[in-house]
């Protein structure tokens, strides 16, 4: 898949493109349905498939709750997930105030058709676009007749009775509902962090941890608590548990991310770990003694052992 920034010139094939447009944060099950159809249409028409997306979420520019908005995927993660569908081009538009001011028809005629040679457009059930999100499927239907491109709308994808959306998945993660969030994503939610030096408390307790600093401050981190996880380091996978929180038993005041990985004894300061969240175990608790804390960590570990089918 070729990744092209809107500021860079590149040559579109003369035969034109099949296009879909969207933010695609999370590349969840609903997005997957659109991308699979786009690829199928591209193969049928024998013209390249192009995904038009944004380098920064539009809400950061439009200032709609921008301070609170966290993302499901970084730009690199989104590109990797989209690339898995066999897409030919990922066109990354810089979302600027100038771009936000484009009228809906201008966006279609000047960019999708004029610049990207669109022959077919695939959109989701709730796709809105253009200045003030004034463009909708009804307008696209008129424009498809006017400019001669084919138009396909993909219906909503449901899971557990709810339409799948990035907003719903963000809310689920914020509520620590990891399993339903993963079900809507179609994969395990994850983040990548750099291993940093901690306070060494976990090792003193008999449960050494890798202390992590997430690479992206804009990416969602589930709320404080203990979770069952899988971690990837240098291509190898490890099972474990992770604690996110302030360590109230030790009167901590800063959020710490501490992963205890089974069968892992490497020194990896400065290196990267990718953490996949599998299951929420419990909320963070302040214990009256260190012994009670150790007992609870053993219970957490044993729960994880059972989850992975290990013998305690």
């Amino acid at each position: 898949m070729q990744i092209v920034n809107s500021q860079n010139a590149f040559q579109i094939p003369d035969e034109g493109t099949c296009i879909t447009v969207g933010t695609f944060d999370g590349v969840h099950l609903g997005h997957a349905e659109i991308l699979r159809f786009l690829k199928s249409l591209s193969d049928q028409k024998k013209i390249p498939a192009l995904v038009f997306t944004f380098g920064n979420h539009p809400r950061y520019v439009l200032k709609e709750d921008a301070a609170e908005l966290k993302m499901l995927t970084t730009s690199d993660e989104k590109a990797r997930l989209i690339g898995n569908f066999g897409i030919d081009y990922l066109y990354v538009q810089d979302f600027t105030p100038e771009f936000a001011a484009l009228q809906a028809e201008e966006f279609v005629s000047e960019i999708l058709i004029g610049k990207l040679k669109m022959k077919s457009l695939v959109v989701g059930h709730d796709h809105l676009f253009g200045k003030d999100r004034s463009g909708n499927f009804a307008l696209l239907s008129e424009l498809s007749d006017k400019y001669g491109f084919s138009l396909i709308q993909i219906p909503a994808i449901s899971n557990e009775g709810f339409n799948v959306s990035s907003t719903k998945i963000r809310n689920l993660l914020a509520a620590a509902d990891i399993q339903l969030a993963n079900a809507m994503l179609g994969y395990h939610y994850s983040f990548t962090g750099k291993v940093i030096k901690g306070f060494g408390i976990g090792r003193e307790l008999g449960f050494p941890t890798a202390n992590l600093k997430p690479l992206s401050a804009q990416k969602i981190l589930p709320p404080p608590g203990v979770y069952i996880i899988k971690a990837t380091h240098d291509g190898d996978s490890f099972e474990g548990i992770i604690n996110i929180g302030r360590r109230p038993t030790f009167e901590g005041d800063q959020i710490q991310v501490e992963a205890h990985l089974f069968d892992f004894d490497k020194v990896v300061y400065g290196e990267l770990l990718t953490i996949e969240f599998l299951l929420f175990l419990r909320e963070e608790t302040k214990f009256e003694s260190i012994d009670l804390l150790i007992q609870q960590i053993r219970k957490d570990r044993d729960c994880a052992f059972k989850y992975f089918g290990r013998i305690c």
Side-chain angles (χ1 to χ4, degrees), residues 8 19 52 109 138 181 191 208 215 242 251 253 257 260 289 306:
N8 300 332
I19 292 179
F52 184 107
S109 63
F191 80 94
L215 291 185
I242 197 167
E251 305 298 336
D253 59 356
V257 183
H260 172 59
S289 70
K306 291 178 182 178

Side-chain angles (χ1 to χ4, degrees), residues 152-215:
I152 302 95
Q153 185 178 47
I154 304 299
I157 300 299
S158 296
N159 186 284
E160 300 289 339
F162 298 99
N163 289 346
V164 175
S165 74
S166 300
T167 298
K168 284 189 178 70
I169 296 169
R170 292 189 197 105
N171 291 339
L172 289 168
L173 290 173
D177 194 339
I178 300 300
Q179 288 181 297
L180 186 51
N182 287 345
M184 288 192 176
L185 286 168
Y187 58 88
H188 297 144
Y189 184 72
S190 67
F191 80 94
T192 298
K194 179 180 288 188
V195 181
I196 60 175
K197 284 188 175 294
F199 297 96
I201 294 174
R203 186 171 297 278
E204 291 178 8
L205 299 179
F207 301 93
T209 60
N211 293 265
L212 296 167
K213 180 180 180 181
L215 291 185

Side-chain angles (χ1 to χ4, degrees), residues 92-135:
V92 183
Q93 173 69 47
D94 294 332
F95 196 92
T96 62
E98 292 75 23
F99 179 82
L102 271 179
Q103 297 293 336
E105 183 169 351
E106 288 179 311
F107 170 62
V108 172
S109 63
E110 295 179 12
I111 296 181
L112 297 187
I113 295 174
K115 189 173 184 179
L116 302 178
K117 301 181 183 177
M118 180 179 71
K119 302 300 182 184
S120 297
L121 177 62
V122 180
V123 297
H125 72 286
D126 58 352
H127 183 67
L128 299 173
F129 65 102
K131 184 180 179 182
D132 299 324
R133 294 164 62 84
S134 59

Side-chain angles (χ1 to χ4, degrees), residues 10-304:
F10 82 113
Q11 185 63 41
I12 289 290
D14 291 337
E15 63 268 28
T17 55
C18 293
I19 292 179
T20 189
V21 178
T23 305
F24 290 99
D25 185 32
V27 194
H28 54 59
L29 291 180
H31 297 143
E33 194 71 14
I34 293 171
L35 294 170
R36 278 193 290 267
F37 188 93
L38 179 71
K39 175 60 177 171
S40 175
L41 186 65
S42 164
D43 291 343
Q44 176 187 335
K45 291 180 173 289
K46 295 181 170 53
I47 59 178
L50 183 149
V51 172
F52 184 107
T53 192
F54 304 104
N56 53 324
H57 199 290
R59 281 159 61 182
Y60 287 125
V61 173
L62 299 175
K63 295 182 171 45
E64 300 173 5
D65 64 10
E68 295 81 21
L69 179 64
K70 298 289 185 179
M71 308 306 294
L72 298 170
T73 43
T74 65
S75 295
D76 288 344
E77 289 168 343
K78 182 165 71 172
R80 174 178 55 78
L81 290 165
I82 290 174
N84 290 339
F85 290 87
I87 302 303
D88 298 291
Y89 297 102
L90 180 63
Y91 185 87
V92 183
Q93 173 69 47
D94 294 332
F95 196 92
T96 62
E98 292 75 23
F99 179 82
L102 271 179
Q103 297 293 336
E105 183 169 351
E106 288 179 311
F107 170 62
V108 172
S109 63
E110 295 179 12
I111 296 181
L112 297 187
I113 295 174
K115 189 173 184 179
L116 302 178
K117 301 181 183 177
M118 180 179 71
K119 302 300 182 184
S120 297
L121 177 62
V122 180
V123 297
H125 72 286
D126 58 352
H127 183 67
L128 299 173
F129 65 102
K131 184 180 179 182
D132 299 324
R133 294 164 62 84
S134 59
N136 54 24
F137 188 75
L139 177 61
L140 283 174
S141 297
E142 295 175 12
L143 297 179
S144 70
D145 293 335
K146 180 176 180 179
Y147 293 104
F149 62 88
S150 64
L151 174 65
I152 302 95
Q153 185 178 47
I154 304 299
I157 300 299
S158 296
N159 186 284
E160 300 289 339
F162 298 99
N163 289 346
V164 175
S165 74
S166 300
T167 298
K168 284 189 178 70
I169 296 169
R170 292 189 197 105
N171 291 339
L172 289 168
L173 290 173
D177 194 339
I178 300 300
Q179 288 181 297
L180 186 51
N182 287 345
M184 288 192 176
L185 286 168
Y187 58 88
H188 297 144
Y189 184 72
S190 67
F191 80 94
T192 298
K194 179 180 288 188
V195 181
I196 60 175
K197 284 188 175 294
F199 297 96
I201 294 174
R203 186 171 297 278
E204 291 178 8
L205 299 179
F207 301 93
T209 60
N211 293 265
L212 296 167
K213 180 180 180 181
L215 291 185
S216 173
Q218 289 186 330
K219 192 169 163 67
I220 293 173
L221 196 63
V226 178
Y227 301 81
I228 297 176
I229 61 165
K230 278 189 178 179
T232 303
H233 171 259
D234 199 23
D236 296 323
S237 288
F238 301 89
E239 299 165 347
I241 54 178
I242 197 167
N243 182 78
I244 300 173
R246 292 183 168 82
R247 298 176 296 114
T249 304
F250 300 96
E251 305 298 336
D253 59 356
Q254 299 291 325
I255 290 287
Q256 306 287 327
V257 183
E258 303 167 294
H260 172 59
L261 307 182
F262 313 144
D263 311 317
F264 186 87
D265 58 1
K266 302 177 183 179
V267 177
V268 290
Y269 293 127
E271 299 181 34
L272 300 181
L273 285 179
T274 296
I275 303 296
E276 297 178 45
F277 290 89
L278 307 182
L279 183 69
F280 173 72
L281 280 182
R282 63 176 176 87
E283 296 179 352
E284 186 178 41
T285 303
K286 182 175 182 177
F287 294 91
E288 294 181 2
S289 70
I290 302 301
D291 286 341
L292 289 175
L293 172 59
I294 292 173
Q295 290 177 30
Q296 183 60 58
I297 296 174
R298 285 178 181 150
K299 291 178 182 177
D300 297 336
R301 180 199 58 192
D302 290 347
C303 285

